[in-house]
Amino acid sequence: MSNIESNSNHIRVAVIGSGPAGFYAADHLLKSKEIDAEIDMYDRLPTPHGLVRNGVAPDHQKIKSVTRVYDKIAKDPRFRFTGFVEYGKHIHLEDLKNHYHVVVFATGAQTDRRMNIPGEDLNGSHPATEFVAWYNGHPDYRDLEFDLSCETAVIIGVGNVAIDAARILCLSEKELRATDIAEHALNTLLNSKIRDIYIIGRRGPAQASFTNPELRELGELEDAVPLALTDEVEPDELSLEEISASGDEAVERRIEILREYAANSVSDKRKRLHLRFLLSPAEIVDNGEGKAGTLRLMKNELYRSEDGSIKSRSTDERIEIPAGLVFRSIGYQGVPLPGIPFNDKWGTIHNEKGRIIDPGTNAPIPGLYATGWIKRGASGVIGTNKTDSAETAACIIEDVKNGISLKPNSTGNGHVEELIRERQPHYITYEDWLKIDSLEIARGGECGRPRLKFTSIEEIFTALKGTGYVTEHFGADKS
Ligand code: NAP
């Protein structure tokens, strides 16, 4: 690794988190001609790529192929990945301040929002985020249990995560086997008794968050037919006004797709996917055995709020759906990081364009930055993180050029290597990850699947041992 201290704009950067936002931030900094950056990227998991590995649906292999871009970034001799090292556990803010000029937090949004309704904590009621992590083989979630022995599952929320979770419940055996879904999830889903899957929006289709390609995909499922109700699909006066004012053709197309689904009749497909709108969850009722049995919902109407946005409010009308499985899919939420100012209301780090702000003084804290979902909240697609990270990188470059950065005691690589070796001897380099990657793909190939993931830390290290993995290779990777 080069260490060009002669360049006054030479900086050592720590990026915490190896999802898309972390990689794009690294890429922007490495490509900058105005600074000379060296990047150390850390992740608490042994595997990189964040939600591309653990969030993107396993049947969306094309989206997952974005990791090739990250592999290319990782090849830069000024970039180094260190996996299985957790901020706040193995490496602390003070350590980072001692070793780096700049620290970028790209930790994403690691938890879910709650509905705050009675019965939310009954067995059978789960955050969709956990279901997603489970079927994607995230080591922290692999041992969760989802009981798919009931006939009806309900997903609250009409964003793309809700669509993903619903689609996974709908896939046929053939469709599932074509994915890299974790083996434990595949086995559970193959024995699923679920036949009716509901997706519930509190507002109308015009206000739904899901995107049209994802909605359209529901009409192409081998084993499930998407259904909707004309009454709920047709926009009311307020929504029509909103559509015409925005001129958003995507909303018009969305309603067209839903009209097609409303015209569908129950077919000979084994499963039915019901898209419902203008309903808010009110209570999950116990089935008498401490488990979710019925979901109570209030019918809603739309109104224009004082800020001009269209909101929902409940009417007196109530409906019930018998449901042994309820997923809340109402958004991801960031978690606070030790020593970093956090906005609890937004679930994000206090920041302005990526510069972390001291809430006491409202001034930027030199050298500390945020990017991705922990900066702006859980919104947008993978590509959104490219522009988001460009904004953060631009702030970093401007500040460095103005002499604003942390003032590390130790600027060489050696000291931080020693520290990591001491705190986490079982760290993982990008070269280790590439070996894990090839092994997973090879295992998948043996059973006709794109990849068979290692889903526990133990499995990962056992596999690595067979490749001559040594823990003392830090720093030897590309120099
Ligand atoms: P999201 O897009 O923010 O959707 C959240 C949904 O939850 C909205 O429909 C929202 O309705 C609803 N909601 C919030 N609070 C609620 C409550 N108390 N009761 C009932 N409904 C409530 O979140 P997401 O689906 O978790 O997705 C996160 C981000 O990841 C999004 O940007 C998404 O596009 C992206 N993503 C993309 C893909 C893909 O590209 N294929 C896949 C997965 C995720 P209101 O609008 O009424 O608040």
Side-chain angles (χ1 to χ4, degrees):
M1 197 177 273
S2 66
N3 197 355
I4 315 160
E5 297 295 338
S6 55
N7 182 337
S8 62
N9 286 340
H10 169 261
I11 52 163
R12 302 196 67 242
V13 181
V15 177
I16 311 298
S18 68
F23 267 97
Y24 293 129
D27 194 35
H28 289 302
L29 294 174
L30 289 168
K31 279 187 179 145
S32 167
K33 302 230 179 322
E34 298 174 85
I35 58 164
D36 172 30
E38 284 183 301
I39 313 280
D40 274 350
M41 180 179 279
Y42 295 97
D43 201 292
R44 72 185 186 90
L45 289 179
T47 52
H49 305 156
L51 280 186
V52 178
R53 180 173 168 92
N54 293 311
V56 171
D59 57 336
H60 282 174
Q61 290 296 309
K62 225 172 166 181
I63 297 180
K64 284 184 188 262
S65 67
V66 70
T67 57
R68 285 193 216 118
V69 175
Y70 310 148
D71 290 347
K72 209 168 151 205
I73 297 166
K75 276 200 181 123
D76 190 305
R78 297 166 298 159
F79 176 96
R80 189 161 64 159
F81 169 75
T82 308
F84 209 30
V85 169
E86 185 170 344
Y87 173 78
K89 182 175 174 189
H90 304 110
I91 194 156
H92 305 278
L93 187 57
E94 282 316 304
D95 303 319
L96 296 170
K97 285 182 174 173
N98 282 338
H99 293 283
Y100 297 97
H101 299 91
V102 164
V103 183
V104 184
F105 291 93
T107 47
Q110 292 171 26
T111 189
D112 67 295
R113 294 210 202 114
R114 289 181 63 83
M115 297 185 286
N116 298 317
I117 59 165
E120 188 164 6
D121 293 317
L122 283 171
N123 285 334
S125 163
H126 311 268
T129 52
E130 291 189 357
F131 183 54
V132 170
W134 171 78
Y135 65 59
N136 271 314
H138 188 304
D140 293 354
Y141 298 88
R142 72 190 291 262
D143 295 326
L144 293 182
E145 283 178 16
F146 295 95
D147 182 356
L148 310 186
S149 64
C150 55
E151 289 201 351
T152 305
V154 182
I155 302 160
I156 307 295
V158 282
N160 280 332
V161 171
I163 297 268
D164 280 352
R167 202 178 59 253
I168 293 298
L169 289 171
C170 286
L171 294 183
S172 67
E173 175 164 359
K174 188 172 149 222
E175 286 166 331
L176 279 168
R177 288 198 186 278
T179 75
D180 71 350
I181 197 162
E183 193 73 346
H184 55 252
L186 175 68
N187 293 333
T188 305
L189 284 160
L190 290 182
N191 290 311
S192 167
K193 298 278 180 293
I194 293 172
R195 295 293 174 264
D196 286 281
I197 298 104
Y198 286 81
I199 301 181
I200 309 271
R202 63 178 167 182
R203 296 189 288 162
Q207 294 83 29
S209 300
F210 49 63
T211 39
N212 288 348
E214 280 64 27
L215 180 62
R216 174 128 351 250
E217 211 180 341
L218 300 181
E220 294 157 9
L221 297 170
E222 197 174 67
D223 225 1
V225 57
L227 302 166
L229 299 179
T230 303
D231 279 1
E232 292 175 0
V233 166
E234 290 309 324
D236 69 343
E237 284 298 318
L238 279 177
S239 302
L240 285 172
E241 268 173 36
E242 187 183 51
I243 296 167
S244 100
S246 71
D248 189 346
E249 289 175 10
V251 178
E252 288 174 18
R253 279 199 299 277
R254 181 193 306 161
I255 290 165
E256 274 307 315
I257 301 170
L258 285 164
R259 281 189 186 122
E260 285 170 31
Y261 294 171
N264 278 345
S265 51
V266 174
S267 67
D268 53 0
K269 292 190 177 180
R270 284 197 318 145
K271 296 174 192 171
R272 293 162 295 275
L273 176 47
H274 310 263
L275 290 134
R276 299 289 310 265
F277 297 92
L278 295 163
L279 294 169
S280 271
E283 182 178 2
I284 303 173
V285 185
D286 196 317
N287 71 347
E289 294 167 14
K291 223 184 150 292
T294 303
L295 178 65
R296 248 176 220 156
L297 299 136
M298 300 304 293
K299 281 205 173 190
N300 289 337
E301 60 185 11
L302 298 178
Y303 71 99
R304 194 175 289 284
S305 69
E306 277 176 15
D307 66 13
S309 62
I310 294 181
K311 292 196 169 144
S312 61
R313 66 181 161 217
S314 79
T315 64
D316 296 337
E317 222 178 315
R318 193 172 87 176
I319 69 161
E320 292 191 345
I321 300 175
L325 190 62
V326 179
F327 290 118
R328 54 181 181 274
S329 182
I330 60 173
Y332 283 76
Q333 175 109 6
V335 293
L337 296 160
I340 304 299
F342 196 72
N343 183 329
D344 289 315
K345 191 171 162 216
W346 293 99
T348 54
I349 289 176
H350 259 294
N351 77 93
E352 244 176 60
K353 295 183 175 178
R355 289 185 177 99
I356 298 183
I357 300 293
D358 178 340
T361 61
N362 260 339
I365 306 175
L368 300 188
Y369 302 85
T371 189
W373 278 7
I374 197 66
K375 167 187 171 187
R376 69 173 194 279
S379 67
V381 294
I382 291 172
T384 316
N385 295 297
K386 218 174 190 175
T387 32
D388 187 322
S389 290
E391 182 184 61
T392 298
C395 291
I396 296 172
I397 294 163
E398 185 184 326
D399 290 350
V400 169
K401 282 165 60 188
N402 289 326
I404 301 166
S405 73
L406 294 165
K407 306 291 174 215
N409 304 326
S410 140
T411 49
N413 293 328
H415 294 104
V416 77
E417 290 169 22
E418 257 173 49
L419 184 93
I420 299 294
R421 228 179 261 136
E422 203 179 284
R423 306 251 180 94
Q424 174 51 298
H426 303 291
Y427 54 80
I428 296 272
T429 65
Y430 211 79
E431 285 65 27
D432 295 327
W433 154 247
L434 291 175
K435 288 177 193 162
I436 298 168
D437 189 36
S438 316
L439 287 168
E440 287 187 342
I441 293 170
R443 271 161 38 110
E446 283 166 22
C447 53
R449 301 187 47 206
R451 170 189 300 273
L452 194 51
K453 284 182 179 176
F454 299 114
T455 58
S456 74
I457 303 293
E458 206 184 338
E459 274 180 0
I460 289 172
F461 281 98
T462 306
L464 269 180
K465 276 203 185 102
T467 70
Y469 168 78
V470 281
T471 57
E472 296 292 312
H473 53 188
F474 202 118
D477 0 339
K478 280 171 291 192
S479 49

